[in-house]
Amino acid sequence: MKVLVAEDDTLSRVLLERTLQRAGYEVTSVDNGERALKELQKEEAPRLVLLDWVMPEKDGVDVCRAVRDIKGHAYTYLILISSKERKEDIVQGLESGADDYLTKPIDGDELKARLRAGERILELEDRLVEAREDMRFRATHDLLTSLWNRGVIVELLSRDVTRARRENSCTAVMLCDLDHFKSVNDHHGHGGGDDVLREVSRRLHASVRSYDLVGRYGGEEFLVVLNKCEPASAITRAENLRNAIAARPIMAAGKPMTVTMSVGVALSTDFVSGDAGELIQQADMALYAAKGAGRNSVRMARPNTLQNADSDLKTGLRGDEASPVLSGRDTGCS
Amino acid sequence: MKDGRKNEPEVLRIRSEPATQDWNVQELLERVEGDRRLMRELLVMFRDENQRTMETVRVSMEERDLARASRAAHAMKGMLKNLAMGATAEIASSLEAAARNGLLSESEELFGKLEQALAQILPQVKAQLIEAQV
């Protein structure tokens, strides 16, 4: 465990360092409050701190206050050290944000016992943070694939579309559906189906940029959101996704199998008045067309979709006769 | 002044018995958990540092900078307490408080007492260092 010692008196500092090192602590020491604060603002800073009260630059009480003002860091356990023993001094020290108080000269056994108490508090805090993070993850992610769950990916898409409109950029929505997934479950059981869903998720995630979003939209449906996507490259990006699945077999229940995916694409710049819901709907219709075109392919929704959707879905899409964007062939799925 | 409090009774607490009787070497040895090498290191530090710190107190009082004198006395007190030199630490503590409260003549008197106490304790420190070398 790392400990920071801030003590301006060399003799006291050396004594503390040796006592702590002998007890197995990894000690960093500084000789004034300003340096202590700098150490505590670093990544991976010690979380157990012994602070002398009277120090140049910033005293121990100042450091306590400043540490408590730092947001976002894990909790730091602060022990003030001083020769002040009056009740009001102790109260002032604790009120400044210190967790504990030791008086000089320091008894080695007492020091170690108080540090162990500090470690217990930090462990408790770590467990609480871990439990909170776990709950947060469960509330926002699909537990099988670890992708964003449906509610969150739709919400994130909604924010992204708003941002794209404000910044005059394009967000591409890609609704991806595994072809013949039912037969995967029929032939390999649900365990095999889960293997496929996990691997598809991993490949989709690996195929996009760190700031793009991938979520599980439904059973075997995935929603991919590419922000700041050049409209001209959207089809290529969708093709990359499709190919990431089809190019290599996936191990399902210990056996390799070919899996393919159809993709429907909608661009926010093509539906300028539409919200996230409409973009998903457009991408869904494009996906429907991709399925109709033989699966393992990509289709893009066009702006006139809404006008023609009722009469003929295909006319609302970048149709076969006019479209340069169709790709792929149905490689089938076992 | 950060910890300044006027007219504290601790200013008047000046021990009259010789400080040297109060050096508890056994307590120091326990504090360093029997590590005689560390004890020697600390004593060498004290031997080298105490004169410089006392000089800071003296010059600060001459310049009527009692806040600085108080800080130096505080440092001296810390060293003495760590080395289990309790009575001498008490004098340094009184000097720290007197200087902090701006009491020049008391500070000068306590400074003299602290010098005397150190004059008695330093030979013992040097003897310990020689003993530790053997």
Side-chain angles (χ1 to χ4, degrees), chain A residues 6-263:
Chain A
E7 165 67 81
D8 61 324
D9 173 42
T10 312
L11 194 148
S12 301
R13 195 169 62 243
V14 169
L15 182 55
L16 269 173
E17 279 172 5
R18 298 294 171 79
T19 307
L20 294 170
Q21 282 164 351
R22 205 178 285 125
Y25 289 99
E26 188 185 328
V27 185
T28 304
S29 54
V30 292
D31 61 0
N32 70 50
E34 197 63 58
R35 291 201 179 108
L37 200 52
K38 275 189 187 150
E39 285 295 326
L40 293 173
Q41 285 168 327
K42 289 180 181 172
E43 290 290 320
E44 305 291 317
R47 295 174 63 200
L48 274 179
V49 183
L50 290 162
L51 288 167
D52 186 28
W53 185 315
V54 181
M55 283 188 292
E57 307 289 336
K58 260 186 171 49
D59 68 19
V61 167
D62 292 338
V63 176
C64 285
R65 290 198 185 104
V67 167
R68 295 300 175 231
D69 284 342
I70 299 172
K71 304 291 178 208
H73 269 223
Y75 193 75
T76 307
Y77 194 85
L78 303 169
I79 302 177
L80 265 181
I81 300 171
S82 180
S83 48
K84 296 160 185 269
E85 293 169 13
R86 302 182 334 157
K87 190 178 79 179
E88 50 267 50
D89 292 327
I90 295 170
V91 169
Q92 189 196 349
L94 295 174
E95 289 289 345
S96 71
D99 295 289
D100 203 354
Y101 193 95
L102 275 170
T103 50
K104 289 180 182 175
I106 295 170
D107 177 82
D109 290 337
E110 186 183 352
L111 169 69
K112 284 175 252 177
R114 286 178 189 267
L115 284 172
R116 279 195 294 275
E119 285 181 68
R120 287 197 293 274
I121 298 287
L122 293 178
E123 279 167 21
L124 185 63
E125 202 242 355
D126 287 346
R127 286 209 297 273
L128 283 170
V129 169
E130 201 176 305
R132 186 190 66 196
E133 291 306 311
D134 186 53
M135 283 171 65
R136 188 177 287 167
F137 187 86
R138 284 168 179 274
T140 54
H141 288 75
D142 170 62
L143 296 184
L144 175 67
T145 62
S146 294
L147 296 177
W148 294 115
N149 64 26
R150 181 182 176 127
V152 172
I153 190 70
V154 172
E155 172 63 26
L156 291 173
L157 168 62
S158 185
R159 283 190 217 170
D160 204 72
V161 168
T162 305
R163 186 192 50 74
R165 298 259 152 81
R166 196 174 56 239
E167 295 176 0
N168 219 13
S169 63
C170 175
T171 292
V173 179
M174 300 184 178
L175 196 58
C176 312
D177 188 85
L178 299 185
D179 299 326
H180 303 301
F181 185 70
K182 186 175 177 298
S183 67
V184 177
N185 280 333
D186 289 346
H187 288 92
H188 300 278
H190 287 283
D194 287 351
D195 289 344
V196 169
L197 291 170
R198 275 192 290 264
E199 177 60 14
V200 166
S201 301
R202 194 193 63 74
R203 291 187 189 181
L204 289 178
H205 202 263
S207 303
V208 298
R209 301 161 300 183
S210 59
Y211 48 91
D212 292 327
L213 307 163
V214 184
R216 189 175 177 197
Y217 192 68
E220 68 266 31
E221 270 189 313
F222 300 87
L223 189 64
V224 178
V225 178
L226 306 181
N227 54 60
K228 293 185 180 167
C229 175
E230 280 298 318
S233 67
I235 286 297
T236 308
R237 305 277 304 274
E239 272 296 319
N240 289 344
L241 293 179
R242 186 198 59 76
N243 196 46
I245 307 307
R248 284 179 293 118
I250 288 176
M251 296 298 286
K255 292 177 186 162
M257 66 177 300
T258 302
V259 177
T260 63
M261 184 178 82
S262 301
V263 184

Side-chain angles (χ1 to χ4, degrees), chain A residues 280-319:
Chain A
I280 293 172
Q281 194 186 353
Q282 294 293 343
D284 194 30
M285 286 194 283
L287 172 63
Y288 187 82
K291 293 280 187 186
R295 298 186 171 82
N296 191 22
S297 61
V298 173
R299 288 292 185 279
M300 180 182 276
R302 300 304 299 163
N304 59 347
T305 299
L306 280 180
Q307 295 160 15
N308 304 301
D310 290 341
S311 56
D312 182 358
L313 268 176
K314 284 187 178 175
T315 60
L317 306 168
R318 186 169 284 179

